Structures are given as structure tokens and as C-alpha cells.
Amino acid sequence: MDKRISAAAAVAQISDGMTVGIGGWGPRRKPMALVREILRSDLKDLTIVAYGGADVGMLCASGKVKKVIFAFVSLDFIPLEPYFRQARQNGDIEVMEVDEGMMLLGLRAAAWGLPFIPTEVGLGTDILTHNPDIKVIDSPYDDKEWVAMPALNLDVALIHADRADARGVCQIEGPDHYLDDWMARAAKNTIVSCEEVVETSYFQDPARARQVFWERSITDAVVEIPGGAHPTSCNPKYGFDVPHFKAYNASAKDGGFSAYAEQYLAATETEYQERVGGLDAIRALPLPVY
Amino acid sequence: MTAATEYSLAELCIVAAAEAFRDDGEKLATGIGVIPRLGASLAMKTFNPDLMMTDSEAFMLSEPNPLGDRGADFAQANESWMGFSRIFDNVWSGKRHAMLGPTQIDRFGQTNTSALGGTYQQPKVMMLGARGFPGNSICHRNSFFVPAHNDRVFIDGECDFVSSIGYNPARLPKGRALSDVDIHRVITNLCVMDFGGPDHQLRLLSLHPGVGVEEVLENTGFAIVVPDEVPTTAAPTEEQLAIIAALDPHNQRAYQIKDNPPGVRG
């Protein structure tokens, strides 16, 4: 089976109103080339589920989003994502704000075919006040009440990996696969962009096989896009692009997203990469130090 | 142990932050921000070597990392993988103590990291979001660090958005006790406090050198409990200052409190 398709063909599988989970964490290993392909499309009214960064900000700024399910949206070294902030402060979007761990439980419930997973997380907070659809239930086994975190069923998951073979075996080589495995499992259709498509024999090395976090039946499409996480990081290959994020952040105050898009987005990913200095420059971005 | 005579307010706060982790035993110490992280690291390097710590990315360390650029030859002391998904398993187990800096703290110890003013649908100021605060607050011990103690942080009334559970009887979940919540220390640029007053009221534990009770009261938007005798926050020792300097070779601690004042007010 050959699951390789183009970014445009992958995004053509997404329809208006769908719920789209996006892998990565903040400014780290986001499938940004796939996000940019959505920005170039006519898609609208999406519900986005993410440990959010510029992916969420850009989609909000370009009017693609009806609702965001989030625990945070942040660029880390720039704590507040400028366009998500604008969208919230303008009242442009619906939100379902949850705890980071509640999001994980929601994805697990979806992956396991459960309607909900009980947890104490969220009790006593405004997560419950502002999410009347998240129910608190009695337990059949004790006298406490518990939050019934509902399944976050995804129509599509978008993930960026280091390598994949044509059949959808995906490797995340960096130190953390974040919650990408749960995003993949929670989705009906998992689309994975990768730095490099490799032969299946690549995974014979057990150290590499250990870096595969879901089985290939979970992967529906593979899109080869070297540098496809830019301006987010793809550790160990490249760090996040600090000057680019600073320019992105500044654009929110001066010119707006249309000016940013005009300067960088371009009609194709090849052209985008030329505008940000080329693939070699992306691959040379230093890893962050914490 | 020689008490230092010259030290910055940031260094005093780092030592006070370290004290918060003294009795934790074998827990994951998570200090978010320079002063909490240095506090947790100092505790692990000195009186509580059983603490666990991560590299803020994906590995657990047997020795805390110094902050910032560590040079090409530096090899961090990994002891296990600890990616973000495993952090939640740790959080839910309760074997963690996090020290964080919320934007608002109310009289119940509830905090806000999410949104200020306006309506929830259209807040005046959108901040980070609830992040992990709901889970942290109900699953394990937490402390707070506030670099600028004022009544915009310690607010009159309830938080605009309650990100973390506190000692609010009106929000107590069924089958649980207020004493299940564990807010351990609140460290500011003026003082150290806890929620050990009657009915879990905020209580003054120590004043930083040269700070008076009145200044704390004026800058806190609600009543706090002031014991008859309030000691002075313990000064760092020379040994502690040396360890802090080694953990923070680029002196990031000098940029955490406005104007980097001395620990003893002139």
C-alpha cells in the first residue's frame, strides 16, 4: 500500500466544519506546511484541537476557525500567541478551554471508543463553569463526583514526523513525541507530513523502530515535506525560527496577518521556503536551550 | 554555614523558594520561571537530594541543569525519558510539587492564568489559557511565586477565570475536603506566606529584610492573617549563593524582579 500524496491532495480530504487535531506542542514540531496548505484553501468553520501555537493563531487570523479546543496557545518564548489573542479579544471564535491533561483524556477516550473518561481534573474551576457540555457525574464505586471528560473525536489529525515509509510507518526521532500518538489514534483520518520518506528497511534498526509510536494502520496519508515544521522546531533536525516568530508576532501590531501572509505564505511551499531563506537555512536553525 | 550580608532580592527569593521544597521527599519539583527553577534546583543540590527534576523538555535529570547556554561540551545528567505525556501520569499520581506564577490569586488561593476582564466569550485580555493548572491544583502540591506583590495580583474578589481549585467552600466538589487542596507557599518580592490561617486564609510567614507589615497589607487586595511575631525571611548563606551562581552562570536571576534590588533594603 502506498499512502504518499501531495499536501494539496491531503488538504482536499478536509471539509468545511470538520474537527481537526494538530500535533506538536506550542512552537515545537507542528505540521506547519499542512497548516499553510489550509491557509491557501477555501476551508472554513473548522474546529481545531491542539496544544496550540502559531498553527492555531494563523488559522484563526485567516478566518478558517469556528471553534478552538485548547488548554493554551503559546509560542513559549513569546508567551501569548498574538493572533489567537486577537481572535479571543474580538470575540471571533467559540472555545472549549480545558486542562492539558483533560485534552489527553479526551483524545484517549476517542481513541478507545469511549464516550468519556472520568477524572478529578477540572473540579472546582471555571473549566466546568464555561463548558456546560462537560458533565460532572457520580461514581458507582465511591461517594465523590468526577468530571466526565468527553471524547474528542477528530475527523482529521495533522502531524509532522521525521521520517515515514510509503505505508505510513512514522518515526519521531526527537526527544518527545508529545501527544501525537493520541491525536493520530483519535482521528478518522491521520495525515502525516515528514522530513523524509524512507524505505521500509530503515526501521529494521530496533532503536529506530522504538521511535515509532503508532502502527501504520493508523496513518492514512504520508506527505513528504522537508522543512515542513518551519517556523516551529523539528528536533533534532532544526530549532524554531526565533527571528521569524518575532516578525510574525510584530505583524499582529503592524500590518496584520494579511501583511504576514503577503510577505511569506506564497502560492506553494517551495516558494514559502525560498522566502524564509531556503531549506538549508531552516535545517541550520539552532535548537533551543532551556 | 555563613549567612551572607550582600545578596539580591532575587537570591533571597530563590532561597525561600528552595525552602518550599525542603520536605517534599521524592517528588518531581517543577519550577516554572527562573526563580522557582533555581529554588527547586538549589533544594535538590543541598537539603533535598531526593527531588526529581526534568530538563524542561523530555528527560529526567539526576543533577539539575544550569540555566541558559551551557556550551558545546556540556552533557546533561539524564536518568530517564520524561516526555510531556508521561508528565501527566506523574501529575495524576500526586508525586509532584509545582511552583508557578499566576496572573491573579484570590483570597481562596484560586488562580487565573487564562483571561482578564470583559466577558468569557470576549475577554479584554486573553492570556495563556488554563494550561495544566486545573490538574496541578487538585492532584498535587503547588506553590506560587509573585515577582511584583500588588493588589492586581492579590485581588479583591474572585479571579476573573478560576484556573485552579483553591480553598473556596462554594466550589468544593462533592465528597472532597478543602484540606485535600495543598497550596504550600506563596513567595513574593515582599514576603513569604501560606494558606495556614483559620479557614485556610492567607497568612504571613516571614517578611523580607526591611519590609513592614503595612506594605504587605496595602498591596494585598484582601485581608490576610498576621501573627503577633513575624520573623524575617532567612538570608542566603555564602554556600547557597555560590551554588546559585553556578546554576545561573548567565545571571538570568538579575532580570526577574524589577530593577534587581538588593535583598536588604537600603
Side-chain angles (χ1 to χ4, degrees):
Chain A
M1 201 185 302
D2 189 341
K3 297 175 180 171
R4 289 174 297 172
I5 57 174
S6 70
V11 168
Q13 296 176 359
I14 308 174
S15 308
D16 292 352
M18 277 189 170
T19 298
V20 180
I22 303 179
W25 182 287
R28 299 168 168 121
R29 208 168 38 69
K30 288 282 179 179
M32 294 305 295
L34 295 175
V35 169
R36 281 186 285 274
E37 204 57 39
I38 295 178
L39 299 181
R40 296 180 191 112
S41 77
D42 296 327
L43 281 169
K44 60 180 192 302
D45 293 334
L46 301 175
T47 292
I48 303 297
V49 181
Y51 293 91
D55 49 337
V56 173
M58 289 184 188
L59 290 166
C60 286
S62 56
K64 302 296 180 193
V65 176
K66 178 171 179 241
K67 181 176 181 178
V68 179
I69 299 177
F70 75 104
F72 64 84
V73 182
S74 173
L75 306 176
D76 265 24
F77 76 100
I78 300 170
L80 306 178
E81 212 295 338
Y83 289 104
F84 176 69
R85 191 172 197 191
Q86 279 186 2
R88 283 288 282 132
Q89 292 175 186
N90 291 334
D92 289 342
I93 50 170
E94 296 173 29
V95 292
M96 177 182 181
E97 182 171 0
V98 294
D99 168 269
E100 293 166 0
M102 289 173 82
M103 185 176 289
L104 170 57
L105 294 176
L107 295 171
R108 280 189 181 158
W112 294 338
L114 302 174
F116 66 90
I117 292 179
T119 176
E120 63 184 336
V121 178
L123 290 172
T125 73
D126 277 336
I127 294 293
L128 300 180
T129 318
H130 294 298
N131 287 301
D133 292 341
I134 300 181
K135 305 296 185 193
V136 173
I137 58 169
D138 287 332
S139 163
Y141 303 111
D142 62 32
D143 296 326
K144 297 177 179 176
E145 61 183 5
W146 300 86
V147 172
M149 178 60 206
L152 296 173
N153 295 297
L154 309 178
D155 294 304
V156 178
L158 305 177
I159 290 163
H160 188 72
D162 290 87
R163 295 176 189 81
D165 76 359
R167 303 173 309 150
V169 178
C170 300
Q171 177 207 34
I172 293 170
E173 189 182 7
D176 200 342
H177 56 285
Y178 311 122
L179 292 308
D180 287 8
D181 47 343
W182 296 105
M183 287 279 181
R185 291 180 192 283
K188 285 193 208 110
N189 182 5
T190 295
I191 298 168
V192 178
S193 60
C194 62
E195 293 288 318
E196 181 186 7
V197 170
V198 294
E199 296 297 322
T200 296
S201 58
Y202 175 87
F203 295 102
Q204 285 174 10
D205 177 345
R208 292 170 176 171
R210 285 280 305 216
Q211 295 170 333
V212 176
F213 298 96
W214 60 90
E215 51 281 15
R216 60 183 151 81
S217 60
I218 300 292
T219 308
D220 296 282
V222 172
V223 187
E224 186 178 37
I225 316 175
H230 183 272
T232 70
S233 60
C234 189
N235 188 340
K237 285 201 171 56
Y238 48 92
F240 49 76
D241 191 335
V242 171
H244 187 93
F245 272 131
K246 284 183 176 168
Y248 168 75
N249 188 50
S251 75
K253 286 210 170 74
D254 186 13
F257 188 72
S258 57
Y260 172 86
E262 178 70 25
Q263 187 173 353
Y264 294 110
L265 184 60
T268 65
E269 190 63 14
T270 307
E271 208 180 325
Y272 168 83
Q273 291 196 353
E274 284 169 9
R275 291 182 181 192
V276 299
L279 181 59
D280 289 344
I282 292 172
R283 288 274 170 83
L285 288 166
L287 295 172
V289 177
Y290 293 98
Chain B
M1 304 285 261
T2 320
T5 51
E6 284 195 28
Y7 51 88
S8 69
L9 182 56
E11 287 163 338
L12 181 79
C13 289
I14 291 163
V15 170
E19 283 296 330
F21 295 96
R22 181 183 279 275
D23 301 322
D24 282 338
E26 206 165 28
K27 280 185 185 169
L28 176 61
T30 303
I32 302 290
V34 167
I35 287 176
R37 177 171 157 190
L38 286 170
S41 300
L42 177 63
M44 187 174 176
K45 293 283 279 184
T46 55
F47 44 70
N48 187 356
D50 292 338
L51 284 174
M52 303 190 291
M53 195 167 300
T54 74
D55 64 353
S56 307
E57 285 213 276
F59 291 96
M60 202 91 95
L61 304 173
S62 58
E63 278 282 316
N65 272 346
L67 273 63
D69 185 12
R70 295 178 280 273
D73 296 337
F74 179 83
Q76 68 180 27
N78 295 326
E79 67 177 25
S80 76
W81 182 78
M82 195 68 188
F84 288 171
S85 59
R86 194 189 279 188
I87 291 286
F88 297 113
D89 293 321
N90 166 266
V91 168
W92 300 331
S93 79
K95 293 185 187 300
R96 185 185 193 220
H97 180 178
M99 184 180 288
L100 310 120
T103 305
Q104 291 181 327
I105 301 171
D106 66 22
R107 68 186 185 281
F108 302 114
Q110 300 173 141
T111 69
N112 180 11
T113 57
S114 182
L116 296 173
T119 62
Y120 185 65
Q121 172 56 28
Q122 187 172 1
K124 186 154 181 285
V125 180
M126 182 65 201
M127 302 185 296
L128 278 174
R131 286 221 75 144
F133 276 70
N136 294 351
S137 62
I138 202 162
C139 294
H140 60 66
R141 171 173 283 187
N142 293 277
S143 292
F144 304 132
F145 173 67
V146 177
H149 187 142
N150 62 52
D151 57 10
R152 294 183 306 282
V153 178
F154 294 98
I155 53 163
D156 183 18
E158 231 182 320
C159 288
D160 295 5
F161 180 97
V162 174
S163 303
S164 64
I165 189 170
Y167 302 105
N168 183 354
R171 289 176 182 260
L172 180 65
K174 188 171 82 178
R176 287 171 172 81
L178 288 179
S179 57
D180 294 344
V181 175
D182 186 2
I183 304 173
H184 187 59
R185 289 288 181 275
V186 182
I187 296 159
T188 79
N189 60 320
L190 299 181
C191 62
V192 179
M193 300 176 286
D194 71 1
F195 280 88
D199 301 322
H200 303 283
Q201 290 177 74
L202 191 59
R203 174 177 70 173
L204 192 57
L205 287 184
S206 70
L207 290 160
H208 298 341
V211 177
V213 171
E214 278 308 311
E215 186 176 355
V216 173
L217 297 180
E218 281 168 13
N219 284 285
T220 308
F222 51 88
I224 66 171
V225 176
V226 180
D228 293 339
E229 300 274 325
V230 183
T232 301
T233 308
T237 65
E238 294 292 353
E239 293 82 354
Q240 286 175 321
L241 289 181
I243 293 167
I244 291 167
L247 286 166
D248 182 26
H250 306 292
N251 201 20
Q252 292 185 28
R253 63 194 179 284
Y255 302 94
Q256 305 308 312
I257 299 177
K258 189 174 183 301
D259 301 329
N260 193 31
V264 182
R265 283 195 187 174

